[in-house]
Amino acid sequence: MNRPMEGAADSEDGHQSRSSSVARSLNLPVGMSRDALHLDTIARRSWQGSASPMKQGISSAATSSPTRTSYSDRFIPSRSSSNLTGFALLDRSPSGLNIAQLNDVREDGGAAYSMLLRSELFGQEAASPATPEKSMGISLRDPMRSPISSSVSRNLFRFKSEPKPSTGPNARPENLFDLSPVGIDSALVAATMSPRKAPRKIARSPYKVLDAPALQDDFYLNLVDWSSQNVLAVGLGTCVYLWSACTSKVTKLCDLGPTDSVCSVGWTQRATYLAVGTNLGEVQLWDATKCRKVRTMGGHRTRVGTLAWSSHLLSSGSRDRNILQRDVRVPEDFVSKLIGHKSEVCGLKWSYDDRELASGGNDNQLLVWNQQSTQPVVKFSEHGAAVKAMAWSPHQHGLLASGGGTADRCIRFWNTATSTALNCYDTGSQVCNLVWSKNVNELVSTHGYSQNQIIVWRYPTMSKLATLTGHTMRVLYLAISPDGQTIVTGAGDETLRFWNVFPSPKSQSAVRDTGVWSLGRTHIR
């Protein structure tokens, strides 16, 4: 036991000679001594479990002085400064799991990796949709078997000669650079390789501009309406003109004379008759096909600035603060009077199911009526200015949008079924008109002071899809085409501008379901 201690006290020359001999025996580079290495001993055991022949040497080294360093033939580098977290070499399993659960987690991860590797190496045939245990015929729980050892040893260098189909679910891409590292038929690749839907583009300029001389710059009037037969009615001064979008033909329907003027126009659902509200408080009914006046209905004391049809029922709003309900099948001028507004009625809109009538006035009130009531069933007073702009959603029952004037500038949404306010959005300028798309869940607003713009919104996020400019004065008038794709806007600059803003309907049945095409049951005596 004292001999190793004596060896530690050898001279410096003897120490250097022994270092050189060790370096030559280990085949070290020139200039590197054994002191530059950190070597350790390795205990070896035989397959029969008996002690290794090196055991005696190891025991003696262990009992020797700590100043004597023993060496072996293995270089064990120090990994204390290595960062192994990025290579997933450290065990970060949950501490609450026992050994069996940890083995299950590791085996499940190995099974997923095995299936991915087999799919990439051996093609679609090897990646069976069944479980890895069933597809390979072995149990992944068996610690003595590797999930892919048998397949790799048998098929690793075997080439398939059968051609890949060019079409069908197993088709491979022609371009080798399109191959995915996770398999061509996986759900992720199917999602990434599907064609990307391009965002819809809305033209920023009108495709047609018409002159409209004497188109009044009056916020409280409604002088433009588009029929289901694709005919546009426009009130210009004392006259009403019809413009056919199919033939571009212009027809003069009527002239009220020098003592009167047109304040509102409104088509029946079948576009056979046109109602005209006058400055003297009359409502005239005209046969558009024959250019002949059918009847004149009174009841208002002053101008009729807004009209709305519900099948055979015509509603008219006036500066006298009243709303008259007129059944055109009976000889009486009106059948009921709706009293609720304290100032001029400037907006009227029937819902698509003909059950509710929304009215807006210069008293900043938004009222909702039903067919039987003479008093409003719902009152909304949140607007801070006149309410002319209104639109019912064709996609959701009871959803109503309204816009306020210059002092308000907001678009508000209401649920009339529950009489609750939903959302409010400040547009930055006077809201003159609103219309909801029948094809998609979007709406258009037109504005006056001070930006005179047209905005296309996506509902319910109210994100702006497009802002259209071109009018030099307030965009006071708005109507939508029967196919729901085109809008026409009118302003005090005496122009009518046509814009393509909405996509085409997916099917004709989808449009009929909204009630747009099914309302026309008007009967005239």
Side-chain angles (χ1 to χ4, degrees), residues 133-173:
E133 293 88 344
K134 294 181 181 180
S135 62
M136 290 181 285
I138 63 173
S139 174
L140 291 179
R141 304 286 181 186
D142 187 359
M144 302 300 295
R145 297 290 298 273
S146 173
I148 62 173
S149 59
S150 59
S151 300
V152 171
S153 61
R154 182 175 65 256
N155 296 325
L156 183 58
F157 298 104
R158 180 176 297 178
F159 294 91
K160 298 179 182 293
S161 60
E162 61 270 20
K164 293 292 182 181
S166 58
T167 59
N170 296 327
R172 310 291 284 188

Side-chain angles (χ1 to χ4, degrees), residues 327-515:
D327 190 339
V328 296
R329 300 172 300 179
V330 300
E332 290 79 13
D333 287 343
F334 61 93
V335 294
S336 63
K337 179 184 294 186
L338 309 183
I339 302 175
H341 285 285
K342 300 177 181 179
S343 187
E344 180 175 6
V345 180
C346 53
L348 287 175
K349 285 292 174 61
W350 278 98
S351 62
Y352 282 94
D353 56 7
D354 289 347
R355 295 180 180 178
E356 294 178 303
L357 173 67
S359 64
N362 197 30
D363 55 358
N364 309 343
Q365 299 290 314
L366 174 64
L367 307 181
V368 179
W369 319 71
N370 59 33
Q371 287 184 335
Q372 292 78 29
S373 68
T374 57
Q375 297 294 323
V377 295
V378 180
K379 292 183 179 181
F380 297 115
S381 305
E382 283 77 357
H383 280 292
V387 182
K388 175 192 176 185
M390 292 177 296
W392 291 92
S393 171
H395 312 286
Q396 181 177 341
H397 174 72
L399 178 58
L400 175 65
S402 62
T406 307
D408 183 76
R409 307 178 304 178
C410 292
I411 297 177
R412 298 178 181 269
F413 294 91
W414 319 88
N415 186 339
T416 61
T418 59
S419 303
T420 56
L422 300 178
N423 298 305
C424 175
Y425 299 91
D426 190 345
T427 65
S429 56
Q430 177 189 40
V431 184
C432 300
N433 291 278
L434 288 169
V435 67
W436 220 299
S437 170
K438 298 169 285 188
N439 305 332
V440 289
N441 202 9
E442 298 171 4
L443 67 158
V444 167
S445 61
T446 68
H447 300 269
Y449 302 124
S450 58
Q451 301 182 35
N452 305 330
Q453 78 272 44
I454 304 160
I455 303 178
V456 184
W457 309 84
R458 176 182 285 118
Y459 187 82
T461 61
M462 290 302 287
S463 57
K464 292 183 181 181
L465 298 178
T467 300
L468 312 177
T469 57
H471 285 290
T472 59
M473 297 183 68
R474 296 183 297 174
V475 188
L476 297 175
Y477 310 109
L478 172 67
I480 190 169
S481 63
D483 62 4
Q485 300 182 65
T486 304
I487 62 171
V488 58
T489 58
D493 57 10
E494 299 185 343
T495 61
L496 295 173
R497 299 174 185 263
F498 295 79
W499 317 76
N500 284 321
V501 295
F502 294 129
S504 60
K506 295 180 180 179
S507 64
Q508 290 296 329
S509 60
V511 176
R512 290 192 183 97
D513 289 341
T514 65

Side-chain angles (χ1 to χ4, degrees), residues 1-9 60-61 63-65 67-68:
M1 297 298 292
N2 295 329
R3 191 171 299 276
M5 298 295 294
E6 295 175 358
S60 62
T63 58
S64 61
S65 173
T67 60
R68 175 66 183 270

